[in-house]
Amino acid sequence: MRNLSVVTEFILLGIPHTEGLETMLLVLFLSFYIFTLLGNLLILLAIISSARLHTPMYFFLCKLSIFDIFFPSVSSPKMLFYLSGNSRVISYAGCVSQLFFYHFLGCTECFLYTVMAYDRFVAICYPLRYTIIVSHRVCAILAMGTSFFGCIQATFLTTLTFQLPYCGPNEVDYYFCDIPVMLKLACADTSALEMVGFISVGLMPLSCFLLILSSYSCIVYSILQIRSAEGRRRAFSTCSAHLTAILLFYMPVVLIYLRPTPSPWLDATVQILNNLVTPMLNPLIYSLRNKEVKSSLRTVLHQLGFLPEQLWREISS
């Protein structure tokens, strides 16, 4: 009988097939991470500092920016730490925490995108009743609900993964602890759990996506009823940023968790897009096509001293 010891720590092997590229990856990912933090902090400051942006749409955008700060912070600091030549070891508790917070923040964002689609649906399809339907109380309930259900989903997936015995190999062939790679290390049959996890991880985003699709089908129908070309243009412009962000969020989820045959290198590449690039692009997506956000951002940059007085006056005039 084999003498199997309980695993107390794991070794993160990093992104597959990138040996010798550590310095280049460190500079690249550190740049992404810094721009992600700065961009989302600026969006937060722009929304908080402008009374005009204290509306439900920007309230949800504010929460999205907060989660876009924390989401890459689950895996990036440890990845940057070992890319700089430090230890690749992560404790068992650290691995559990990584997996829980990754799925908690990811699931919450998934629910949040659904709520944001509902907000746009009410704003465009029922504009006269918008302030009554999407009141401050409703906004608070929806915001808390996204986090609550995100926490339930993450708790279920984390419990499902770590109730298995880990008593053999401890080398994680990835750059952070995620469900597919952790199940490979369990010293028990994981076929049933893989199926349950696949259904759970796939069903939740699919349900949210169908709700978003339903909202936008109604939105498109309502926009097409607008007689004014300018009115149609403004309505499409309002929704285009949200649609772009949804596509950037959902495509990696489908490629990583819903493919029958996983590919470690492709999964890592797509997941880095999901973890670092999408949160970095969201501030650009939501600000470039929004005059109110751009105006507030210019004011914030001027107050912080990044925008000279003369240039600020020329832009503002």
Side-chain angles (χ1 to χ4, degrees):
M1 185 175 179
R2 288 186 301 170
N3 182 23
L4 298 176
S5 57
V6 177
V7 172
T8 57
E9 61 184 26
F10 295 96
I11 300 168
L12 300 171
L13 298 182
I15 302 168
H17 314 302
T18 57
E19 294 79 6
L21 301 173
E22 285 81 5
T23 304
M24 186 189 75
L25 292 176
L26 175 65
V27 173
L28 182 65
F29 295 153
L30 182 60
S31 303
F32 283 164
Y33 188 50
I34 290 170
F35 281 121
T36 298
L37 298 182
L38 289 176
N40 284 288
L41 281 171
L42 281 173
I43 290 289
L44 276 175
L45 288 172
I47 293 171
I48 292 167
S49 64
S50 175
R52 290 181 304 167
L53 302 181
H54 293 175
T55 62
M57 182 176 80
Y58 294 109
F59 169 72
F60 294 127
L61 180 56
C62 206
K63 183 172 182 179
L64 181 65
S65 292
I66 292 169
F67 276 76
D68 274 345
I69 289 171
F70 287 110
F71 188 53
S73 300
V74 172
S75 58
S76 298
K78 180 64 181 177
M79 178 175 65
L80 295 171
F81 182 73
Y82 68 68
L83 283 175
S84 60
N86 293 290
S87 173
R88 293 175 177 264
V89 173
I90 184 170
S91 66
Y92 185 91
C95 201
V96 173
S97 299
Q98 262 197 351
L99 193 144
F100 171 80
F101 283 107
Y102 178 79
H103 286 279
F104 165 61
L105 295 166
C107 291
T108 302
E109 281 205 21
C110 193
F111 293 130
L112 189 57
Y113 280 120
T114 311
V115 168
M116 290 171 80
Y118 171 73
D119 171 70
R120 291 298 83 210
F121 160 72
V122 176
I124 291 171
C125 299
Y126 302 98
L128 300 178
R129 297 171 56 196
Y130 177 66
T131 53
I132 298 169
I133 297 172
V134 190
S135 61
H136 292 303
R137 181 171 173 271
V138 170
C139 283
I141 291 170
L142 289 172
M144 287 189 292
T146 58
S147 297
F148 175 72
F149 288 109
C151 185
I152 288 176
Q153 176 79 351
T155 302
F156 171 70
L157 292 173
T158 306
T159 305
L160 192 72
T161 304
F162 286 98
Q163 55 91 24
L164 293 166
Y166 291 90
C167 49
N170 68 337
E171 292 186 339
V172 179
D173 191 19
Y174 213 48
Y175 69 97
F176 79 106
C177 299
D178 198 12
I179 296 169
V181 288
M182 295 310 299
L183 290 180
K184 291 178 182 178
L185 299 179
C187 42
D189 181 29
T190 62
S191 54
L193 291 176
E194 282 175 13
M195 182 56 66
V196 173
F198 177 83
I199 293 168
S200 177
V201 172
L203 192 61
M204 186 274 295
L206 180 62
S207 303
C208 290
F209 186 73
L210 290 175
L211 288 171
I212 291 168
L213 198 62
S214 302
S215 295
Y216 272 96
S217 298
C218 296
I219 288 169
V220 169
Y221 178 76
S222 295
I223 289 173
L224 293 174
Q225 303 304 308
I226 300 172
R227 294 183 180 181
S228 163
E230 177 64 19
R232 286 198 299 268
R233 189 195 63 79
R234 287 184 63 185
F236 273 121
S237 179
T238 304
C239 299
S240 61
H242 186 224
L243 279 171
T244 306
I246 287 168
L247 289 173
L248 284 172
F249 179 82
Y250 276 97
M251 282 191 297
V253 172
V254 171
L255 286 170
I256 295 165
Y257 296 106
L258 301 182
R259 283 187 302 111
T261 52
S263 164
W265 184 85
L266 180 62
D267 287 351
T269 305
V270 173
Q271 203 138 30
I272 284 167
L273 171 71
N274 194 37
N275 289 11
L276 280 172
V277 180
T278 302
M280 181 184 71
L281 291 177
N282 274 348
L284 292 173
I285 292 166
Y286 283 104
S287 62
L288 287 177
R289 296 180 64 86
N290 191 309
K291 291 180 181 179
E292 291 177 326
V293 174
K294 282 195 284 188
S295 175
S296 184
L297 274 173
R298 284 195 292 266
T299 305
V300 168
L301 289 170
H302 172 65
Q303 290 172 348
L304 292 172
F306 294 113
L307 199 62
E309 181 76 26
Q310 186 177 354
L311 181 58
W312 182 70
R313 286 182 179 177
E314 287 177 2
I315 294 172
S316 301
S317 60

